[in-house]
């Protein structure tokens, strides 16, 4: 068996693989919301209620990806499902790539400025790297359209705006609190970069699918 088979459409679409990924992402999502528990309680106490959904960025990204996997396992039959599925998939890819990279960058930036790294930091680096990688790999099975991708980028930019306008961004290592303007600029730029990377991945997947159909006898 060739190593390339492991990221082929045939392998990635196997129900066993989809279920294993769904379970691991669902568990990671639950853990992520628990991880944000203190910040959610703080936000609920000192901020308007409508800002709460903008607090847990990474677990919401993995939630989108978990739902996208579930839609691959049980494709929607109604027209409304075909409208929502591309949007959920676009949100899954854009936010998973964005927050996967963002979390790793913040951990390393904090460590560079003197924050002590513990085992949980390395666990977060591993899990967030996996978020970004799996999202880009599964683009080839998704149904992302440019309208859905545009909406996903717009939502993520809105999330960034709320985070840094109202101070509900993910809590940072203390060493980065005096670099907030730079963190905000990096975050906004990363959203656009993640959208671009998703668009490139979608185009590559479309071209590869078109070539495979052309090669058929």
């Amino acid at each position: 068996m060739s190593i390339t088979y492991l990221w082929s459409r045939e392998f990635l679409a196997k129900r066993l693989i989809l279920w294993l990924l769904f379970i691991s992402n669902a568990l990671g999502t639950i853990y992520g919301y628990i991880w944000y528990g203190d910040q959610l309680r703080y936000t609920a106490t000192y901020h308007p209620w409508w800002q709460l959904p903008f607090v847990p960025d990474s677990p919401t990204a993995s939630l989108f990806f978990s739902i996208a996997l579930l839609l691959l396992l049980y494709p929607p039959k109604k027209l409304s499902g075909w409208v929502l599925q591309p949007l959920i998939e676009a949100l899954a890819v854009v936010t998973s790539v964005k927050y996967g990279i963002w979390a790793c960058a913040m951990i390393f930036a904090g460590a560079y400025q003197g924050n002590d790294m513990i085992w949980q930091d390395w666990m977060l680096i591993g899990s967030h790297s996996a978020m970004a990688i799996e999202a880009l790999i599964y683009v080839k099975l998704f149904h992302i359209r440019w309208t859905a991708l545009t909406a996903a980028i717009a939502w993520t930019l809105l999330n960034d705006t709320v985070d840094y306008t109202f101070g509900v961004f993910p809590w940072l290592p203390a060493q980065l609190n005096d670099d907030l303007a730079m963190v905000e600029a990096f975050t906004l730029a990363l959203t656009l970069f993640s959208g671009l990377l998703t668009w490139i991945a979608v185009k590559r997947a479309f071209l590869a699918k078109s070539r495979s159909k052309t090669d058929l006898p």
Side-chain angles (χ1 to χ4, degrees):
M1 181 181 68
S2 171
I3 189 68
T4 58
Y5 176 72
L6 298 178
W7 55 81
S8 66
R9 292 177 62 89
E10 181 184 356
F11 179 79
L12 296 174
K14 288 182 179 294
R15 294 187 69 83
L16 175 60
I17 301 301
L18 290 172
W19 272 115
L20 288 175
L21 277 177
F22 171 77
I23 292 170
S24 61
N25 277 275
L27 291 175
T29 299
I30 295 169
Y31 177 80
Y33 282 116
I34 293 172
W35 178 276
Y36 272 90
D38 289 341
Q39 187 173 357
L40 285 168
R41 285 187 287 271
Y42 179 89
T43 304
T45 303
Y46 297 104
H47 291 261
W49 65 269
W50 63 266
Q51 294 176 14
L52 281 171
F54 296 96
V55 173
D57 294 334
S58 293
T60 301
S62 63
L63 176 62
F64 286 136
F65 191 75
S66 298
I67 297 172
L69 292 173
L70 200 60
L71 290 173
L72 291 179
L73 285 162
Y74 299 100
K77 294 181 173 60
K78 294 183 179 179
L79 179 61
S80 59
W82 292 107
V83 174
L84 288 177
Q85 186 174 12
L87 177 59
I88 291 171
E89 292 171 343
L91 285 166
V93 179
V94 172
T95 58
S96 293
V97 172
K98 186 262 183 75
Y99 294 116
I101 297 173
W102 186 91
C104 295
M106 293 304 107
I107 292 171
F108 283 125
Y112 178 77
Q113 295 196 28
N115 188 48
D116 292 331
M117 291 185 65
I118 58 176
W119 69 268
Q120 288 174 315
D121 293 317
W122 292 109
M123 179 270 292
L124 290 172
I125 288 169
S127 61
H128 283 80
S129 298
M131 279 176 57
I133 293 169
E134 68 181 1
L136 290 173
I137 289 176
Y138 266 84
V139 160
K140 64 181 68 177
L141 267 66
F142 290 161
H143 315 80
I144 299 173
R145 304 187 184 100
W146 71 267
T147 49
L149 179 56
T150 301
I153 295 170
W155 163 259
T156 311
L157 286 172
L158 173 63
N159 190 91
D160 296 340
T161 303
V162 172
D163 275 359
Y164 293 94
T165 300
F166 300 100
V168 292
F169 52 85
W171 286 343
L172 299 165
Q175 290 81 0
L176 298 181
N177 287 334
D178 57 349
D179 299 315
L180 195 54
M182 189 178 299
V183 171
E184 180 181 1
F186 172 76
T187 302
L188 289 166
L190 188 55
T191 294
L192 298 176
F193 173 76
S194 300
L196 175 62
L197 204 59
T198 302
W199 179 79
I200 293 172
V202 169
K203 294 294 288 184
R204 285 174 59 89
F206 175 78
L207 291 173
K209 188 176 181 180
S210 299
R211 284 196 298 269
S212 66
K213 287 182 178 179
T214 304
D215 294 338
L216 290 175

